[in-house]
C-alpha cells in the first residue's frame, strides 16, 4: 500500500523566508488541521525529516545554500523518505519550470503567493488526485 492511500496528516514544510513560513504555518495548522514541522533550510530538513516521517513534503524552490531541487534530491536519497510525495512552492511557475520540477519527481507545484485560506484545501486536492 502506498503512502498516498493513507490520510494526509503530517507535512514537512521547508521555507527560508520567516514571514512566508509563519503564514503557511497558520494556514496549515490552524486552518488545515495538519501536523506540521517547519524547517528554515534544506539542511534543517535533512536533519529533521527522518524522525518526523512526513506524509508529504512542501518545499520552497529558491533558498540560499541548498535550493529546493537539491534538497529534494537529498531527501529522496534517504531510504525512509524515498517514496514521500513532494510539492514545490514557488513564484517560478513558467510552464518549462513546472515541467522541470515534475521531471525531478514532484507531484505538483503551488504558485506563490498562495492564498492562506485555501492552501490546505489545495494540498488536499493534490493529495486526492495522487491517490487516483
Amino acid at each position: 500500500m502506498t503512502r498516498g492511500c493513507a490520510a494526509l496528516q503530517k507535512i514537512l514544510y521547508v521555507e527560508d523566508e520567516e514571514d512566508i513560513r509563519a503564514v503557511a504555518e497558520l494556514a496549515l495548522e490552524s486552518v488545515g488541521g495538519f501536523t506540521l514541522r517547519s524547517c528554515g533550510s534544506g539542511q534543517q530538513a535533512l536533519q529533521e525529516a527522518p524522525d518526523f516521517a512526513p506524509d508529504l513534503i512542501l518545499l520552497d524552490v529558491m533558498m540560499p545554500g541548498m535550493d529546493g531541487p537539491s534538497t529534494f534530491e537529498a531527501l529522496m536519497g534517504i531510504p525512509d523518505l524515498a517514496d514521500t510525495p513532494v510539492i514545490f512552492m514557488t513564484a517560478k511557475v513558467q510552464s518549462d519550470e513546472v515541467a522541470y520540477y515534475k521531471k525531478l519527481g514532484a507531484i505538483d507545484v503551488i504558485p506563490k503567493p498562495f492564498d492562506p485560506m485555501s492552501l490546505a484545501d489545495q494540498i488536499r486536492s493534490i493529495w486526492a488526485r495522487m491517490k487516483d
Side-chain angles (χ1 to χ4, degrees):
M1 185 157 126
T2 65
R3 254 178 226 242
C5 294
L8 175 59
Q9 297 173 341
K10 294 168 64 174
I11 298 175
L12 179 77
Y13 177 50
V14 188
E15 167 63 63
D16 64 303
E17 293 286 335
E18 198 171 322
D19 293 347
I20 296 172
R21 200 167 57 239
V23 170
E25 286 171 2
L26 280 171
L28 296 173
E29 290 177 320
S30 300
V31 177
F34 294 114
T35 301
L36 191 69
R37 173 80 51 96
S38 293
C39 298
S41 69
Q43 288 292 351
Q44 184 184 0
L46 289 174
Q47 293 169 352
E48 297 192 22
D51 287 338
F52 182 61
D55 299 318
L56 177 76
I57 299 169
L58 200 52
L59 187 55
D60 183 26
V61 169
M62 294 179 287
M63 298 185 290
M66 285 183 81
D67 67 1
S70 299
T71 301
F72 175 83
E73 289 181 30
L75 287 167
M76 295 305 102
I78 299 170
D80 288 347
L81 299 174
D83 294 329
T84 305
V86 173
I87 299 172
F88 280 114
M89 289 183 73
T90 182
K92 299 179 74 168
V93 291
Q94 297 296 320
S95 59
D96 59 332
E97 293 164 328
V98 170
Y100 169 70
Y101 306 138
K102 288 186 174 183
K103 185 178 177 189
L104 285 176
I107 60 169
D108 213 333
V109 178
I110 294 176
K112 287 182 180 175
F114 57 86
D115 175 5
M117 296 312 292
S118 65
L119 181 61
D121 288 339
Q122 198 172 359
I123 290 170
R124 282 192 180 94
S125 174
I126 292 167
W127 182 262
R129 279 197 320 265
M130 183 187 73
K131 291 186 342 183
D132 292 342

